[in-house]
Amino acid sequence: MGRVLRVVFFAAAAFFVILAFLDIGFFLFEPRASTGGYEWASLASGLAQDVVMFYSFVVCALIANDASKSETPFSCKQRNRALRVAWFMLAYTIVCFFLDPIAAQLQYSAGSATVGLYAGEQAGDLYINFETLIAAGAFFLFSYILNYGKTLQELADETA
């Protein structure tokens, strides 16, 4: 099962590499009528998302790879991997909190507010990427569970 998961996670990571190249390609070769600056913000947002997802899937593939080699998942290495992904996703959520309103204003001022960032109708809208916030929470929980399992394994080894 670990080998299958490893392949699936590496394939998902490769998908986000392809998406990053597509983002850059569309940015470089798509004709633009205006140069309002929102294109840069849209590209930065897309690339940031691609990098976060790529990193997350690579770490999941590494965890699955170690599990396929019969290594225990309850180790500091696995816990730290999950914790790094959680912090990375939380940082991305915070960046989106500031980047999305700026990009939305640039899109609105350029007259093309339909480019796909979360542009709201009111100036006071909150721009929170709940998907990555929930995923970050899940990875924090996963790292806690791995740490708890490591502690239980150490206690069991001491009593044996």
Side-chain angles (χ1 to χ4, degrees):
M1 184 65 171
R3 290 180 180 151
V4 173
L5 286 174
R6 178 185 60 197
V7 170
V8 169
F9 286 133
F10 274 130
F15 174 74
F16 281 98
V17 169
I18 292 168
L19 279 181
F21 282 116
L22 286 174
D23 286 344
I24 293 169
F26 285 136
F27 177 78
L28 292 176
F29 300 112
E30 182 178 306
R32 290 180 283 283
S34 69
T35 57
Y38 72 88
E39 296 97 351
W40 286 102
S42 180
L43 177 67
S45 178
L47 288 177
Q49 179 181 0
D50 294 341
V51 167
V52 167
M53 295 306 296
F54 169 78
Y55 180 73
S56 301
F57 282 119
V58 166
V59 168
C60 289
L62 292 173
I63 292 172
N65 185 44
D66 288 349
S68 72
K69 294 177 183 175
S70 298
E71 291 183 25
T72 180
F74 303 115
S75 65
C76 287
K77 179 171 74 169
Q78 306 301 0
R79 182 207 59 207
N80 290 339
R81 284 177 173 170
L83 202 54
R84 279 193 302 266
V85 170
W87 283 113
F88 205 54
M89 285 190 169
L90 185 61
Y92 173 70
T93 303
I94 292 169
V95 166
C96 284
F97 183 76
F98 293 105
L99 180 64
D100 286 349
I102 294 168
Q105 289 301 320
L106 289 171
Q107 289 172 345
Y108 180 74
S109 66
S112 59
T114 61
V115 174
L117 291 176
Y118 302 106
E121 297 175 6
Q122 298 178 358
D125 284 349
L126 286 177
Y127 297 87
I128 300 174
N129 190 338
F130 284 101
E131 294 88 1
T132 55
L133 188 61
I134 291 168
F139 273 100
F140 277 120
L141 180 63
F142 184 52
S143 69
Y144 173 76
I145 291 169
L146 290 174
N147 190 46
Y148 185 70
K150 181 180 78 71
T151 303
L152 288 179
Q153 192 173 24
E154 288 171 353
L155 288 174
D157 291 344
E158 289 176 3
T159 58

